[in-house]
Amino acid sequence: MSTGEATTGGPGPDTGTPFPVSRQAGETDRRAPARAAGDLLARLLGAGRRPPEGTSTTAHDLTVRHRLLLALAVLLTVSLFLSYQGVHGDANPLRTSSAPAVLSLDTAVYALGRAQEDARAPAPTSDFQKQISAAAQNLSVAAADGVGGPAGRQTLRTITGLITVYAVKVQQAQLQPHGSVLREAYLSYATSVLNDKAAGIQVRLTALQRQQRAAVHRQTSFGPLLWLSWTATLLLTLALGAALVETQLFLRRRFRRRYNRHLLAAGALSLALVATAVLFTLWTQHGMADTRTLLDRRLTGRHIPDAGRQTASYLRHTGFRAAAAVWILIGGILLMALAETGLRRHLDDYRFRPR
């Protein structure tokens, strides 16, 4: 028996002697699942079937790895861009419109509350007019910030008109003698315009506040879809890294090349892109979560400008980080170019080599 054989087979049909089974055949059996998986991957990538045993498979192996690297680079770029935009796409609108709109509505509600206190004064006061002007001005700001869309802007126009009616009736009441029936009638009508439970100013403003805070919650939430997209991005990063390492080892075995600089650069670039995107996303999401916590309750008095300053601090640089999304696309194109050039010379060598 040769040294390359083992006696682990079953008995023969006549003699009961074990059949010799070569080690090479055993290794072939063990490699069969891996080859089947490789053939499936090759077909998915459009690289065709693996050449039969005994012929050179280098060209086929290079093609499979080349297409796999390009496919993973494309998938990683798309997944990273969508995941990044899923967070940063809402950060700038939150900073420029949603958060200021919440503060404007809170200011208007607070100003109307102060105006109601001054409405009972015996004579017209400048404080009443200041509060009415502050409420109207902040409602205009909220409308400019797009509160509630077209329906919200229509509601704000209605509220502004009701505030004008309220102010006129209070002024008429203050021109009447203190304690007169007409004065009380004017004040009663003004109070109903302000506090009516069905269609008063305060009820409408409260509904807008709830709607705007709900918008802030939507913009700042990190929901299941974002978790899924970021998980897919990290898995694709690992898959691309593993493919780059395996391709580097393959080139070392087949071509005795210690390092492929293009593949090393592709690995470093992919890690840098993902690490930077994750870091920027953590900073932005943390600021958005702090903003949501701050605006989750109705603010009054001096707490409103304080909240405005804090919100600006929490959301600082979000515009710059949101604009960085374009660099993900640029980096993805560069990543694909590095994967392409890293294997192109070997592919061209085998493409024109006679069989």
Side-chain angles (χ1 to χ4, degrees):
M1 183 181 297
S2 66
T3 58
E5 296 176 345
T7 57
T8 57
D14 298 325
T15 63
T17 305
F19 283 125
V21 180
S22 68
R23 292 177 183 174
Q24 183 177 3
E27 291 175 358
T28 301
D29 292 340
R30 289 193 296 271
R31 291 175 183 173
R35 288 177 178 172
D39 289 341
L40 177 60
L41 178 61
R43 287 196 293 271
L44 289 175
L45 294 172
R49 288 182 174 275
R50 185 180 179 87
E53 292 294 333
T55 61
S56 174
T57 62
T58 303
H60 177 270
D61 293 340
L62 282 171
T63 301
V64 170
R65 285 163 175 81
H66 171 251
R67 295 188 180 186
L68 178 61
L69 290 179
L70 289 180
L72 288 175
V74 170
L75 290 174
L76 176 59
T77 301
V78 173
S79 179
L80 182 60
F81 179 79
L82 294 178
S83 301
Y84 192 83
Q85 279 292 93
V87 175
H88 295 266
D90 288 326
N92 204 46
L94 176 67
R95 178 179 62 87
T96 59
S97 61
S98 299
V102 169
L103 296 176
S104 295
L105 291 175
D106 283 351
T107 303
V109 171
Y110 177 72
L112 287 173
R114 293 287 303 274
Q116 188 176 17
E117 295 175 2
D118 296 331
R120 292 284 177 179
T125 63
S126 59
D127 286 342
F128 177 81
Q129 290 299 330
K130 288 179 181 178
Q131 300 301 334
I132 292 297
S133 297
Q137 182 179 0
N138 278 278
L139 291 181
S140 298
V141 173
D145 289 330
V147 172
R153 287 193 292 271
Q154 180 59 47
T155 300
L156 286 172
R157 285 194 289 269
T158 301
I159 292 173
T160 302
L162 291 175
I163 289 176
T164 301
V165 173
Y166 170 77
V168 169
K169 294 304 178 183
V170 169
Q171 291 169 353
Q172 289 176 336
Q174 290 176 337
L175 294 175
Q176 304 303 317
H178 186 68
S180 67
V181 175
L182 190 56
R183 177 189 177 92
E184 293 301 322
Y186 281 135
L187 287 176
S188 176
Y189 184 80
T191 301
S192 67
V193 170
L194 183 65
N195 296 325
D196 184 78
K197 294 183 179 181
I201 296 172
Q202 295 285 12
V203 169
R204 295 173 188 266
L205 280 176
T206 300
L208 280 178
Q209 284 179 307
R210 285 197 301 267
Q211 184 177 357
Q212 194 60 26
R213 282 186 165 86
V216 169
H217 272 263
R218 288 193 301 271
Q219 290 174 330
T220 57
S221 64
F222 199 92
L225 287 179
L226 281 177
W227 280 111
L228 180 62
S229 64
W230 276 104
T231 300
T233 297
L234 296 179
L235 290 176
L236 285 170
T237 304
L238 294 176
L240 178 60
L244 287 169
V245 171
E246 195 279 334
T247 303
Q248 177 66 67
L249 295 176
F250 170 80
L251 294 178
R252 180 180 294 184
R253 290 194 307 269
R254 293 292 177 95
F255 303 103
R256 299 297 187 266
R257 294 198 61 183
R258 186 173 180 83
Y259 298 113
N260 185 303
R261 288 175 296 178
H262 294 93
L263 297 185
L264 291 176
L269 177 60
S270 63
L271 288 177
L273 276 176
V274 175
T276 303
V278 168
L279 186 61
F280 279 11
T281 299
L282 288 175
W283 288 343
T284 297
Q285 186 61 38
H286 186 267
M288 294 168 71
D290 288 342
T291 299
R292 180 182 65 240
T293 301
L294 179 64
L295 300 181
D296 209 25
R297 65 188 187 279
R298 181 181 292 184
L299 301 169
T300 59
R302 61 180 179 82
H303 298 294
I304 297 176
D306 290 344
R309 288 188 291 270
Q310 287 179 282
T311 298
S313 175
Y314 293 152
L315 300 177
R316 186 180 296 124
H317 305 310
T318 53
F320 165 77
R321 292 196 287 268
V326 68
W327 288 102
I328 294 176
L329 299 178
I330 295 174
I333 294 172
L334 182 57
L335 182 62
M336 287 179 272
L338 289 171
E340 167 70 21
T341 55
L343 294 178
R344 176 49 55 190
R345 182 170 68 86
H346 300 296
L347 287 167
D348 289 342
D349 286 345
Y350 273 84
R351 176 178 299 173
F352 300 107
R353 178 174 296 184
R355 296 180 180 274

